[in-house]
Amino acid sequence: MATLVLEAAGQIIGTAIGGPIGGTIGAALGTIGGAAIDNALFASNNRNTRESPRLADTAIQASSEGAAIPVVYGRVRVAGEIIWATRFKETAVTTSQSAGGGKGGGGTTVVSTNYLYSISFAVGLAEGVVHGLGRVWADGKLFDLSTAVTRFHSGTEDQSADPLIETIEGSGNTPAYRGLCYVVFENLALAAFGNRIPQLQFELIRSLSADNPDSLESRLAGVALIPGAGEFVYATDAVNADDGKGTTTPQNVHGSTAVADMVASLDDLETLAPNLGAVSLVVGWFGDNLRADHCTVKPGVEVADKITYPETWSVNGVARTDAHAISLVDGRPAYGGTPSDGSVVQAIAILKARGLRVMFCPFLFMDIPAANALSDPYTGAAGQPVYPWRGRITCDPAPGVGGSPDKTGTAATQVDAFFGGAAIGDFSVSGTQVHWTGGTDWGWRRMVLHYAHLCAAAGGVDAFLIGSEFVALNRVRSSSTNYPAVQALKTLAADVR
């Protein structure tokens, strides 16, 4: 208003004093003065206030009176029913931002208020005791429970009331829902779900025969932990690969939660096998020939130039670039790589922390790809079987084949070449790092003795396996009564002890 009034007044006064030119100058001066007065008197002209839409009501997933309560067995995916919910909680978040003014005017302040909503609620899932909660989906997508505050009530007949529900409803007014398995979400943020409770589904795990002490699950006392291959498959900390361009790929986190696969797997295992007492930890290196005297035994990697963090792959002091590069099938590694020493140490630690006995099992994968030109000790032909069984490693030619060194000193020499000459003193230990100091030997003794040192550095294990199905090798003789592979294993056993 002042801008208009002073503009007109300035023009009149200016014209009276200086004619038309004076009128123009007077109008301009009046406009400037009027704008200044308007800016001072009417702050709202500089303040643009905006508000986001506000929520009038909350859409509930499902809450049907008299709905059936499922009874589940095994591993089942259910949606459940809302059995309790609070009103939504509104949080106003106000921000302000200044925008530059135009010619002759002041700046503008934009004030924005966004309303964020959250809600607490409980979802009833199943009747009776459920032994574990697996994956959770929200609107059809996997939902990481670690990003929300939740409590799982397994459905026992003596479970207590949920503390949040009791705080809101009051002591003595809150049912414990005994005999009902349910999940409570505390103050779940709704922005990612369109300001509503998402459509939730839950994977429930219930033993088929938990109440039967003679069932397989209840009597299961030990398992073999495999695959034994995978560069970080046994790591309990998350490991990622970085392509150097800002893209990362998880190496050992593939579930719906942010925990490592090793941790999630052990959780499931202990849920389904409550009396489990021992685990065989399998860790593999790679052989490359069925002829004993030509077979090297080395740790392998899936990709030679991968960058990982926070853990860098290393086995026996061997860096990724110096390890055996696993052969490819259709452009992908035929096996997972050797678990890193760091992940093996973590695996031993978590198994022992859970009260499980550990047997360490060194394992040999045979990485002999298709179209190889290696001489077959069983036929003499070029081309050994593709990815064969380690139990076929033998002397060359094999016993029973013409020209075989079986029952001669040459057979012993070939067998000794497979085992190698590694000695206990060929290793140095610093904390939980074990390094090789014995030169270029790549035999079975080097692998086994490395892991003996590593297990000791990790705090020890309960048992240690030194052979890995070397059936044919154990049958090779240096005389009619002497089996050099058997003698080599006996010597190795003593060294491991």
Side-chain angles (χ1 to χ4, degrees):
M1 180 64 72
T3 301
L4 296 176
V5 172
L6 291 184
E7 178 184 5
Q11 185 176 10
I12 294 172
I13 297 172
T15 301
I17 296 176
I21 296 177
T24 301
I25 296 174
L29 293 173
T31 299
I32 295 173
I37 294 172
D38 282 342
N39 287 338
L41 295 178
F42 305 106
S44 61
N45 289 345
N46 296 334
R47 187 180 182 91
N48 188 350
T49 302
R50 303 172 182 174
E51 290 189 355
S52 67
R54 301 181 69 177
L55 192 61
D57 200 359
T58 302
I60 299 293
Q61 173 187 8
S63 184
S64 304
E65 183 72 23
I69 302 175
V71 178
V72 302
Y73 293 95
R75 191 180 291 260
V76 181
R77 181 170 171 172
V78 302
E81 295 275 335
I82 299 290
I83 59 175
W84 174 85
T86 63
R87 296 179 178 180
F88 59 80
K89 177 181 178 182
E90 181 182 83
T91 302
V93 179
T94 301
T95 59
S96 61
Q97 183 178 1
S98 297
K103 182 184 294 185
T108 300
T109 299
V110 178
V111 178
S112 299
T113 300
N114 293 317
Y115 295 95
L116 304 180
Y117 296 91
S118 60
I119 193 170
S120 298
F121 60 96
V123 183
L125 300 176
E127 179 181 337
V129 177
V130 173
H131 299 102
L133 178 63
R135 294 169 293 178
V136 176
W137 294 264
D139 290 340
K141 298 179 181 179
L142 282 173
F143 178 66
D144 185 356
L145 283 182
S146 67
T147 63
V149 178
T150 64
R151 280 178 298 282
F152 176 69
H153 298 269
S154 63
T156 63
E157 291 295 339
D158 60 352
Q159 65 188 12
S160 301
D162 184 83
L164 173 67
I165 300 177
E166 190 169 42
T167 298
I168 295 174
E169 302 296 341
S171 179
N173 297 322
T174 304
Y177 299 108
R178 290 174 180 165
L180 177 69
C181 169
Y182 69 103
V183 177
V184 174
F185 287 79
E186 184 170 338
N187 208 31
L188 177 68
L190 300 177
F193 310 110
N195 284 333
R196 59 174 176 80
I197 295 178
Q199 294 298 317
L200 295 165
Q201 292 181 310
F202 305 83
E203 183 180 47
L204 304 182
I205 304 169
R206 185 175 186 177
S207 171
L208 297 175
S209 50
D211 298 330
N212 180 7
D214 293 324
S215 67
L216 175 61
E217 294 161 306
S218 296
R219 298 184 66 176
L220 188 63
V223 298
L225 197 61
I226 54 176
E231 295 175 356
F232 302 101
V233 69
Y234 292 144
T236 56
D237 295 332
V239 179
N240 292 282
D242 189 344
D243 65 358
K245 301 177 182 179
T247 302
T248 59
T249 304
Q251 302 297 289
N252 65 331
V253 180
H254 298 95
S256 59
T257 62
V259 302
D261 298 333
M262 178 69 172
V263 177
S265 297
L266 287 178
D267 288 343
D268 283 353
L269 177 62
E270 291 187 308
T271 295
L272 295 176
N275 296 314
L276 183 71
V279 170
S280 173
L281 183 63
V282 180
V283 179
W285 283 22
F286 296 86
D288 57 3
N289 205 304
L290 289 178
R291 296 172 295 171
D293 59 334
H294 289 79
C295 183
T296 59
V297 180
K298 299 180 69 174
V301 292
E302 301 152 19
V303 181
D305 58 355
K306 186 189 301 182
I307 300 173
T308 61
Y309 68 92
E311 184 180 338
T312 300
W313 186 92
S314 175
V315 174
N316 191 212
V318 177
R320 178 180 292 277
T321 53
D322 298 323
H324 166 73
I326 297 168
S327 64
L328 303 178
V329 176
D330 296 329
R332 302 184 63 179
Y335 300 95
T338 299
S340 68
D341 281 353
S343 65
V344 171
V345 171
Q346 290 181 20
I348 293 173
I350 191 173
L351 290 171
K352 294 180 68 176
R354 295 185 180 219
L356 298 170
R357 300 186 303 278
V358 181
M359 180 176 80
F360 193 87
C361 179
F363 197 80
L364 188 63
F365 297 99
M366 298 304 294
D367 189 15
I368 301 177
N372 70 84
L374 302 175
S375 176
D376 188 341
Y378 293 93
T379 66
Q384 292 184 7
V386 178
Y387 304 116
W389 177 40
R390 60 205 151 277
R392 300 194 65 193
I393 299 173
T394 187
C395 61
D396 183 38
V401 178
S404 174
D406 188 38
K407 300 182 184 180
T408 71
T410 301
T413 300
Q414 292 186 9
V415 170
D416 290 343
F418 171 80
F419 279 88
I424 296 174
D426 290 335
F427 301 85
S428 65
V429 182
S430 176
T432 56
Q433 299 294 315
V434 177
H435 296 277
W436 169 253
T437 59
T440 59
D441 195 319
W442 285 108
W444 182 249
R445 282 182 58 86
R446 173 173 176 175
M447 175 185 180
V448 171
L449 289 175
H450 163 69
Y451 284 117
H453 282 285
L454 188 67
C455 287
V461 294
D462 300 277
F464 195 103
L465 188 67
I466 61 166
S468 185
E469 303 174 4
F470 298 136
V471 176
L473 195 66
N474 289 338
R475 291 174 177 169
V476 174
R477 292 171 290 180
S478 59
S479 68
S480 59
T481 59
N482 188 52
Y483 296 82
V486 175
Q487 184 58 48
L489 288 172
K490 291 171 65 176
T491 302
L492 183 55
D495 291 338
V496 170
R497 287 193 182 98

